[in-house]
């Protein structure tokens, strides 16, 4: 099982999307500053996640969200208003 997850940082007012097989571990890494891209936005909050059957499905969904724009994708899905 893979997850595509969307984070939000109030401190930099940015969204981030990623994929992982271990969501809890990945969240901890983001909030410990282990990822160079998300280090400046700590702390990150998990906004939403999607379950995918395999890495391929997760990668396709992650790319779809990035192409659409994270905030717009969330709005279109009715996740944020």
């Amino acid at each position: 099982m893979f997850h595509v997850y969307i984070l939000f940082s109030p401190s930099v007012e940015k969204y981030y999307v990623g994929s992982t097989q271990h969501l809890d571990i990945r969240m901890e890494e983001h909030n410990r500053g282990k990822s160079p891209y998300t280090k400046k936005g700590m702390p990150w909050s998990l906004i939403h996640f999607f379950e995918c059957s395999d890495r391929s499905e997760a990668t396709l969904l992650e790319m779809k969200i990035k192409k659409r724009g994270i905030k717009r994708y969330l709005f279109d899905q009715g996740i944020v208003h």
Side-chain angles (χ1 to χ4, degrees):
M1 179 76 59
F2 282 79
H3 297 94
V4 174
Y5 59 93
I6 298 174
L7 308 179
F8 180 73
S9 167
S11 63
V12 292
E13 296 184 3
K14 300 272 184 193
Y15 287 94
Y16 176 85
V17 64
S19 58
T20 185
Q21 198 167 11
H22 305 284
L23 185 56
D24 53 345
I25 294 170
R26 191 66 182 124
M27 279 297 305
E28 185 179 309
E29 290 172 346
H30 281 299
N31 282 315
R32 279 197 341 242
K34 196 166 182 180
S35 173
Y37 184 79
T38 58
K39 188 174 187 175
K40 292 180 182 174
M42 295 185 307
W44 290 89
S45 298
L46 180 65
I47 299 298
H48 196 74
F49 69 91
F50 305 91
E51 292 183 349
C52 300
S53 58
D54 57 32
R55 182 183 301 270
S56 176
E57 181 183 346
T59 301
L60 288 172
L61 178 56
E62 182 181 352
M63 289 175 16
K64 178 180 179 179
I65 294 169
K66 287 179 179 177
K67 185 175 182 178
R68 179 75 176 142
I70 301 168
K71 189 174 183 177
R72 181 183 287 171
Y73 186 86
L74 289 169
F75 182 79
D76 290 348
Q77 297 297 310
I79 298 166
V80 296
H81 306 278

